[in-house]
Amino acid sequence: MKYESVNEVKKQLEEDIKNVSNISELNDLKVKYLGKKGLITELNQKIKDIPNEEKKEFGMCVNEVRNSFNEFYEEKKNKYETEILNKKLESEAIDISLPSTKVKRGSKHPVNRMIERIEDLFVSMGYDVVEGPELETDEYCFERLNLPKGHPARDMQDSFYITDEYLLRTQTSAVQARTLIANQDEPKPIRIIVPGKTYRKEDDATHSHQFCQCEGLVVDRLENHVSLADLKGTLEVFVKEVIGDNLDLRFRPSYFPFTEPSYEVDVTCFKCGGKGCSLCKDTGWIEILGAGIVHPNVLRMNGYDPEKWGGFAFGPGLERLTMFRYGIPDMRYLYTNDIRFLEEFDRKDDSDGIK
Ligand code: PHE
């Protein structure tokens, strides 16, 4: 090449190239040749001192050196970057064939399984699932259910009072009144179930201070004739679906201030099959729920005219139903939170083919 200065740079570049072995040396080289004071940059600056007629040729020579640098630079840069990436991938590789650490999973509580089962059934029959507060007022828990202050039937439900007006609800029936009141401006047919916790001041082998109920309430216009026959039919479907087919039901007249007539419903004892045993106190029957035709006072007090509206209500205790369904002989098992006990139900529910 004609220009000594360009030749020198070219030679130097050829030498330097041989010594580049990694990305940082490559970048140093870029600075050395193309940086502000780089050798190629300096050649470019020399153009202005070259006689006009030679400028073009000189420029082309410089370009040639620059192009060979760029070519080298790009090629090496790709190479080094790929190497770096591969190294990183290698070091961060995950062996997906390794067995994972087992996460210990909990088990659904049998009472919750029961609630889900009941919800599925009633939703399929057009009911809504409704909730209410566990800290309830005396008004909704009792007064609006035809149990004024001082009513003797209050003694059936020993209550945890928080203040004179507030208590832990003793029955999900409180939500009957809440639902009626919520619709009082424009009464409309009601079909609800209310699963939830309830509290009473009792604690022995067959009672716990906290338990679960599932209220049911159906109210419709009188011309639609929601009758005791509907209540019976509904409860028969209910009991057979959630406990089992091979059971008899018995409707026994009873008393609740918010239903008239009222019933207690018994089913064949699951332990002795009706022969009589210690669980059923030799009667062959176990009581599972209270029910009846909604009392006109309840309708009236909560904004539904009993001359136009009527219906039925029921309220099973869920622990009893759960014990029946799974053959659990002692209610306390349900509240000791033994994971081995809870796990049993995964298998039981799988084996009967339902949920
Ligand atoms: N709430 C009643 C109880 O706890 C049961 C019941 C519900 C009775 C609905 C009649 C109608 O004993």
Side-chain angles (χ1 to χ4, degrees):
M1 209 183 279
K2 175 171 167 191
Y3 304 101
E4 197 45 38
S5 56
V6 182
N7 262 343
E8 253 170 41
V9 173
K10 195 177 167 200
K11 257 193 217 139
Q12 169 102 47
L13 179 62
E14 278 161 5
E15 264 321 293
D16 284 348
I17 279 175
K18 290 183 200 148
N19 297 323
V20 172
S21 63
N22 59 43
I23 188 108
S24 86
E25 284 170 11
L26 182 68
N27 285 333
D28 290 347
L29 203 66
K30 190 173 183 185
V31 175
K32 180 169 176 188
Y33 284 87
L34 292 180
K36 249 191 192 157
K37 290 185 180 152
L39 298 177
I40 296 176
T41 319
E42 273 172 0
L43 286 180
N44 266 337
Q45 284 159 358
K46 281 199 179 120
I47 292 184
K48 63 179 185 309
D49 307 324
I50 303 281
N52 271 348
E53 60 276 17
E54 286 187 25
K55 269 196 167 89
K56 189 175 170 200
E57 200 187 347
F58 182 83
M60 278 163 62
C61 290
V62 176
N63 270 351
E64 205 179 290
V65 184
R66 188 210 304 276
N67 287 343
S68 62
F69 175 84
N70 281 343
E71 223 169 84
F72 170 79
Y73 178 81
E74 284 307 321
E75 187 198 317
K76 286 289 170 188
K77 188 171 168 252
N78 278 342
K79 179 174 172 248
Y80 293 138
E81 280 177 355
T82 315
E83 274 173 17
I84 289 169
L85 184 66
N86 283 344
K87 245 192 208 150
K88 205 171 165 202
L89 286 178
E90 224 168 81
S91 69
E92 290 176 2
I94 298 165
D95 182 353
I96 54 164
S97 67
L98 270 182
S100 63
T101 3
K102 282 263 176 302
V103 178
K104 181 96 180 118
R105 282 213 322 199
S107 263
K108 246 186 231 169
H109 193 279
V111 172
N112 284 334
R113 286 171 192 271
M114 179 51 79
I115 291 176
E116 283 175 15
R117 186 175 289 271
I118 294 173
E119 286 177 351
D120 282 353
L121 171 68
F122 279 98
V123 165
S124 80
M125 298 199 289
Y127 286 60
D128 288 329
V129 180
V130 173
E131 288 184 342
E134 288 172 29
L135 184 61
E136 189 49 281
T137 58
D138 189 86
E139 178 187 352
Y140 281 104
C141 198
F142 295 129
E143 286 164 53
R144 288 188 173 279
L145 293 172
N146 206 23
L147 271 142
K149 285 203 165 78
H151 194 292
R154 285 192 178 207
D155 286 351
M156 296 198 298
Q157 302 182 359
D158 273 339
S159 318
F160 288 114
Y161 273 89
I162 307 298
T163 66
D164 283 351
E165 280 309 314
Y166 281 94
L167 73 156
L168 296 177
R169 70 176 174 196
T170 55
Q171 49 185 357
T172 45
S173 304
V175 187
Q176 284 190 35
R178 286 191 171 273
T179 309
L180 290 166
I181 282 284
N183 290 298
Q184 63 178 340
D185 292 340
E186 258 176 84
K188 59 168 204 236
I190 291 172
R191 232 186 282 172
I192 55 160
I193 54 160
V194 188
K197 291 190 189 120
T198 45
Y199 304 83
R200 289 186 201 174
K201 208 157 146 273
E202 43 195 35
D203 214 351
D204 60 39
T206 51
H207 295 94
S208 106
H209 56 266
Q210 183 246 292
F211 56 103
C212 294
Q213 289 189 332
C214 182
E215 199 75 7
L217 174 69
V218 173
V219 172
D220 209 331
R221 295 191 173 80
L222 285 187
E223 60 265 28
N224 289 332
H225 305 293
V226 178
S227 70
L228 204 54
D230 297 309
L231 170 63
K232 238 185 133 180
T234 305
L235 292 180
E236 256 161 35
V237 170
F238 165 58
V239 168
K240 300 208 158 158
E241 175 70 26
V242 301
I243 308 182
D245 278 337
N246 46 352
L247 287 167
D248 282 332
L249 267 74
R250 182 171 78 168
F251 283 68
R252 203 163 22 84
S254 183
Y255 171 75
F256 298 102
F258 35 93
T259 45
E260 179 63 33
S262 300
Y263 298 88
E264 276 175 309
V265 178
D266 305 330
V267 290
T268 329
C269 175
F270 71 91
K271 202 171 162 205
C272 62
K275 285 192 210 87
C277 67
S278 58
L279 191 70
C280 60
K281 301 195 180 86
D282 283 327
T283 61
W285 298 98
I286 293 187
E287 183 220 318
I288 51 161
L289 59 88
I293 297 295
V294 180
H295 197 294
N297 286 353
V298 173
L299 293 168
R300 195 178 299 113
M301 266 189 279
N302 297 297
Y304 273 66
D305 180 356
E307 303 290 324
K308 295 189 183 140
W309 300 88
F312 61 74
F314 54 90
L318 298 183
E319 284 76 5
R320 287 271 171 95
L321 293 183
T322 308
M323 288 167 72
F324 263 75
R325 172 162 181 84
Y326 297 110
I328 301 167
D330 189 325
M331 192 166 100
R332 283 167 294 192
Y333 284 134
L334 292 173
Y335 290 115
T336 42
N337 271 336
D338 185 336
I339 192 86
R340 290 165 306 178
F341 169 77
L342 298 177
E343 275 168 354
E344 283 300 307
F345 301 93
D346 293 337
R347 261 166 271 150
K348 274 199 178 148
D349 268 351
D350 286 348
S351 63
D352 76 5
I354 325 168
K355 218 176 4 182

